[in-house]
Amino acid sequence: MDYKITLLPGDGIGPEVVGEAVRVLEVIASKYHHTFHFAERLMGGCSIDTFGSSLADETLADCKSADAVLLGAVGGPKWDDPSAKDRPERGLLALRKGLGVFANLRPVKAHPALIDSSPLRPEKLKDVDIIVVRELTGGLYFGWPKGRDVKDGRERAVDTLEYYDYEIRRVMELAFKLAKGRKKKVTSVDKANVLESSRLWRQIATQIGKENSDIQLEHVLVDTASMKLVTAPASFDVIVTENMFGDILTDEASVLAGSMGMLPSASLSESGPGLYEPTHGSAPDIAGKGIANPIGTILSSAMMLRHSFELDNEAASVENAVDEVITDGCRTADIGGKLTTRQMADEVIERLQ
Ligand code: NAD
C-alpha cells in the first residue's frame, strides 16, 4: 500500500526524534512491502522564523491532503515572548482545529522494567494500562468570547467554556469503542457539581452508557480523578474528558510511565488524516545533544500505522520491538541510561529486522 505522510519535525528535539521514527517506518515499509511518501514541512518556531507564521496556509493544506501527519514538538525560549503576535502553540492549536482532530488518545502503560523510574511506589503501578481520550477541539481553549477588555474601570480577562452535544457525543462514542477492545470500562471525568457544560457532558455519557450496556461506565469528578490517578491508577481503563481537564490529567498520567520521552499520542478526526506526536515538548534543555528518548515518537508512528492505515500487525511489531528494547535494559538518559537517540532507535530497528 502507498501512504502519504507529512512530517512536521518542529523545534528543539522534534527533528531528532522524528528522524528516528522515520527510520523505523522505512524498515516497516520494506519488511511489509508498503511505500511511505514523506514530505517534510516547517511548523512552530522554525516556521515563524522562515514564514512569519507558526503554521503557513500551504503547510496546513499539505497536512490536510496527507494520509497522516507526524509531528515532533514545537516551541522554545526564543519564541516565548507572551506579547508576540504569533507563538508556536498557536500553530499547534490551528493545526488541530484545521485537521478537525477532535479526540486525543494517550495510552499510558507502566512497563515493569521501568517501574523504578516512576516516582510512585512499585505496588501502585502494577497492571497500570490506561488510555486517556481528551476532547481536543472544543471547550475553554476555543470558546468565544475570549480576550481582554476594561469593564467598569477594571481590567478583565475572559475565556469561554462551551460544548455542543455533538462534540461530546463523538468523543464519548470513540471512548466506548476503544473500551470494547480493552477491559470494558469507561471513566467519564467532569465537574458536574459546578459546571453546566459538565452536566451536559454527564447527560450524554449516561445516554451512550445505556446504548453500550456491555461497558461499565463510571462518572468521576476531575478533582477526584486527579487524586485517583496517583493513589489507584490501575483502577482506570479508558478515561474520557473535556479539553482542559484532559490537558492536565494526561500530563499527570504521563508521570506514571517514568518519563515524558516514552509516551505517544494520536489525534483523530472523523474522516481526515490523523495527527501523531509524542506527548513531550521540544525539551530545549537537551536539544541538539542527541540524547532525547525517541520512543514516544516511535510509538506515535505505531499508532499511525494502527489508527490511520489499519496496519495492526505492523503496529504491533513496532510496539513489541519497543517492549523488548525496554525489557533488555536499553536506556536513554531520561530513563537512567547512556544510549543516544540514534542508538536507542537502532535497538528498535535491530529487533524489527
Ligand atoms: P518538555 O516536555 O519539552 O520537557 C520537560 C522535561 O522533560 C525536560 O527536562 C526535558 O529534557 C524532558 N524531556 C522531554 N522530552 C524528552 C525526551 N524525548 N527525552 C528525554 N527527555 C525529555 O516540556 P517543557 O520544558 O515544559 O517545554 C519546553 C517547550 O516545549 C516549551 O516551549 C513548551 O511550550 C513546548 N511544548 C510543546 C509541546 C508540543 O509541541 N506538543 C508540548 C509541551 C510543551
Side-chain angles (χ1 to χ4, degrees):
M1 296 285 285
D2 267 37
Y3 299 97
K4 189 177 156 207
I5 302 171
T6 300
L7 302 173
L8 302 174
D11 308 312
I13 60 168
E16 299 168 42
V17 291
V18 167
E20 299 309 324
V22 167
R23 289 175 62 226
V24 168
L25 285 170
E26 276 166 348
V27 172
I28 289 291
S30 94
K31 186 171 170 187
Y32 293 92
H33 312 295
H34 303 300
T35 306
F36 297 136
H37 303 279
F38 297 104
E40 194 171 315
R41 300 286 177 263
L42 296 178
M43 195 215 142
C46 55
S47 179
I48 294 177
D49 290 350
T50 307
F51 302 123
S53 164
S54 52
L55 179 68
D57 292 345
E58 305 77 51
T59 307
L60 178 59
D62 282 339
C63 292
K64 283 181 171 173
S65 68
D67 295 306
V69 179
L70 182 64
L71 172 77
V74 297
K78 185 176 174 194
W79 308 280
D80 258 358
D81 177 3
S83 62
K85 254 195 2 255
D86 195 359
R87 289 166 55 86
E89 294 76 11
R90 189 205 63 82
L92 204 52
L93 292 184
L95 179 67
R96 289 171 181 165
K97 198 75 180 173
L99 291 177
V101 286
F102 66 88
N104 177 240
L105 277 51
R106 289 201 194 181
V108 178
K109 263 191 196 175
H111 195 290
L114 281 182
I115 276 183
D116 288 341
S117 308
S118 171
L120 261 68
R121 287 207 302 273
E123 64 270 23
K124 296 266 183 226
L125 292 166
K126 195 168 169 289
D127 301 327
V128 167
D129 182 0
I130 305 171
I131 186 156
V132 185
V133 183
R134 164 187 169 195
E135 201 291 323
L136 204 58
T137 48
L140 208 51
Y141 296 176
F142 293 97
W144 201 258
K146 175 190 276 302
R148 298 255 194 126
D149 61 7
V150 176
K151 199 175 174 192
D152 303 328
R154 303 257 178 207
E155 190 173 5
R156 184 175 75 136
V158 177
D159 294 291
T160 300
L161 174 44
E162 161 187 85
Y163 268 108
Y164 284 89
D165 53 358
Y166 76 93
E167 293 177 296
I168 303 173
R169 176 164 277 276
R170 65 186 177 186
V171 74
M172 198 61 71
E173 283 174 344
L174 179 64
F176 275 81
K177 191 170 151 202
L178 288 169
K180 281 187 200 297
R182 297 172 48 97
K183 287 182 263 170
K184 297 193 164 45
K185 181 177 174 190
V186 170
T187 303
S188 171
V189 174
D190 62 38
K191 187 75 182 164
N193 53 343
V194 178
L195 297 174
E196 202 51 54
S197 55
S198 277
R199 286 192 273 276
L200 180 61
W201 183 277
R202 190 173 283 214
Q203 178 189 318
I204 291 170
T206 306
Q207 274 166 15
I208 295 172
K210 284 188 186 142
E211 292 160 18
N212 294 274
S213 52
D214 55 326
I215 307 289
Q216 182 197 347
L217 168 67
E218 67 174 1
H219 303 281
V220 178
L221 294 174
V222 63
D223 30 357
T224 310
S226 71
M227 201 171 60
K228 276 182 73 179
L229 261 178
V230 285
T231 54
S235 68
F236 293 111
D237 178 20
V238 177
I239 297 176
V240 57
T241 190
E242 64 93 47
N243 202 343
M244 187 180 67
F245 297 161
D247 192 1
I248 298 166
L249 290 181
T250 45
D251 268 22
E252 186 188 357
S254 71
V255 173
L256 304 172
S259 166
M260 287 290 265
M262 295 292 298
L263 294 175
S265 84
S267 301
L268 306 180
S269 66
E270 270 166 306
S271 55
L275 171 64
Y276 299 86
E277 54 182 313
T279 63
H280 60 75
S282 58
D285 53 337
I286 57 166
K289 295 186 179 162
I291 57 167
N293 188 342
I295 296 296
T297 316
I298 290 172
L299 289 176
S300 300
S301 69
M303 291 187 87
M304 172 191 292
L305 295 170
R306 174 170 291 114
H307 293 286
S308 281
F309 307 159
E310 292 174 10
L311 299 175
D312 285 359
N313 287 340
E314 288 82 340
S317 67
V318 174
E319 288 158 355
N320 292 339
V322 167
D323 225 55
E324 276 179 44
V325 161
I326 300 298
T327 305
D328 293 348
C330 307
R331 303 279 185 272
T332 41
D334 55 311
I335 46 175
K338 289 204 167 87
L339 292 188
T340 64
T341 310
R342 172 56 54 100
Q343 287 166 335
M344 192 70 167
D346 283 345
E347 295 289 346
V348 176
I349 287 169
E350 197 181 300
R351 285 160 183 82
L352 274 174
Q353 277 159 342

